[in-house]
Amino acid sequence: MTKDALSLEPRSIHDIASWHAHIYFDESTAAQSRIIRDWVTQNFVVEIGPWHNQAFGPHTSPSWYFGFTKEQFSEIVSWLSLNHNGLRILIHPNTDNPLADHIVAGLWIGDRQPINTERLPRSLKALGEKPEEITPNSFPPGLAK
């Protein structure tokens, strides 16, 4: 953990705009990861992110993510704990502080893995940006848009 990620004041849960779940894989576990991706798209209204066959952004191994709302947190994290297929998953909030979100506030299912902290800003506001809101692009049959 870096000093830049630490906070001197408590952070409010109201600062959370949304959540991401990053699913990590390698050549031998890519099929397991695709199964999880299929299951997620069949069961949840979420934002499915791109598939990366190599390290991307702050993530140091191949991965993909899906974004979900604050209201979905309990259901999705509970579901992932039972259905992670032995893979490593980082679940983190999206707030104004991506650095702290990934390395301090993040939750892990399975083993942790390194995160490239040099690619994560401490403040989105300082960059003129806002925390990520989720735009669902997965609409399972029977679930409302």
Side-chain angles (χ1 to χ4, degrees):
M1 178 173 13
T2 68
K3 183 179 178 185
D4 289 340
L6 298 175
S7 177
L8 299 177
E9 297 291 327
R11 297 173 74 192
S12 170
I13 63 169
H14 301 292
D15 293 342
I16 299 172
S18 62
W19 288 87
H20 277 175
H22 294 273
I23 293 79
Y24 300 99
F25 60 91
D26 59 27
E27 190 175 300
S28 68
T29 59
Q32 292 163 247
S33 188
R34 286 196 187 282
I35 289 169
I36 295 172
R37 189 176 175 99
D38 289 344
W39 288 346
V40 168
T41 60
Q42 293 166 11
N43 289 286
F44 300 104
V45 175
V46 294
E47 176 183 89
I48 301 291
W51 182 274
H52 298 285
N53 283 316
Q54 56 191 347
F56 180 80
H59 307 286
T60 57
S61 67
S63 67
W64 63 278
Y65 84 91
F66 70 94
F68 54 97
T69 66
K70 297 181 283 188
E71 295 77 19
Q72 292 174 295
F73 178 85
S74 178
E75 179 182 22
I76 287 179
V77 173
S78 298
W79 185 89
L80 283 171
S81 72
L82 298 174
N83 296 290
H84 60 89
N85 268 355
L87 299 178
R88 295 166 291 158
I89 299 177
L90 168 61
I91 301 163
H92 70 80
N94 290 313
T95 73
D96 177 57
N97 188 337
L99 178 63
D101 294 346
H102 283 74
I103 65 170
V104 176
L107 309 169
W108 286 91
I109 295 176
D111 295 333
R112 289 178 176 256
Q113 77 163 42
I115 299 290
N116 185 350
T117 59
E118 294 175 12
R119 296 183 175 253
L120 293 168
R122 181 149 176 36
S123 172
L124 292 176
K125 288 178 192 164
L127 300 173
E129 298 177 19
K130 294 180 180 180
E132 184 178 340
E133 296 288 337
I134 296 305
T135 305
N137 59 6
S138 169
F139 302 101
L143 295 179
K145 284 188 180 184

